[in-house]
Amino acid sequence: MTEEELATWHLYILRCKDGTLYTGITNNLERRFEEHQSNGPRCAKYLRGRQPVTMIYHTSFKNKSLALKAEIKVKKLTASQKKLLASGQLVIHEIADTA
């Protein structure tokens, strides 16, 4: 197995200063959060000018494939459903089975 395959992957949801939500995955949560806060070249285009951002949810997966599957499911949720997920009032089947 490669080092990337052994890495823990994270799904996260950020709340932007304008109240919108952004969902992503990474294998280094702290680094990625700092990149998003920096508004620099590694910041997601969607987040440019929407800082500061607040992390409202994150969960871990044992590989990238599982994280990607969960990300796809979460991105299909409404903003209200994402807020319920962040507060623990909603559980996504894939997330519950793979985290």
Side-chain angles (χ1 to χ4, degrees), residues 13-96:
I13 301 175
L14 303 177
R15 179 183 296 119
C16 305
K17 74 176 181 182
D18 63 3
T20 59
L21 300 176
Y22 175 84
T23 302
I25 65 167
T26 183
N27 62 355
N28 186 326
L29 194 58
E30 185 175 320
R31 174 191 47 82
R32 193 66 180 130
F33 183 73
E34 289 174 12
E35 289 171 351
H36 288 322
Q37 287 285 44
S38 74
N39 206 29
R42 303 270 311 153
C43 174
K45 284 183 184 180
Y46 180 81
L47 296 176
R48 297 208 176 135
R50 290 186 163 95
Q51 291 87 359
V53 294
T54 304
M55 188 168 306
I56 63 167
Y57 178 80
H58 68 87
T59 190
S60 301
F61 296 87
K62 48 189 168 183
N63 61 51
K64 185 177 182 178
S65 176
L66 294 173
L68 279 169
K69 288 175 186 174
E71 179 187 28
I72 290 166
K73 183 139 185 149
V74 170
K75 284 187 171 186
K76 291 178 182 178
L77 298 176
T78 65
S80 296
Q81 290 171 321
K82 290 177 186 177
K83 289 175 185 173
L84 288 173
L85 177 65
S87 70
Q89 297 177 30
L90 178 68
V91 176
I92 304 282
H93 180 68
E94 282 84 352
I95 292 175

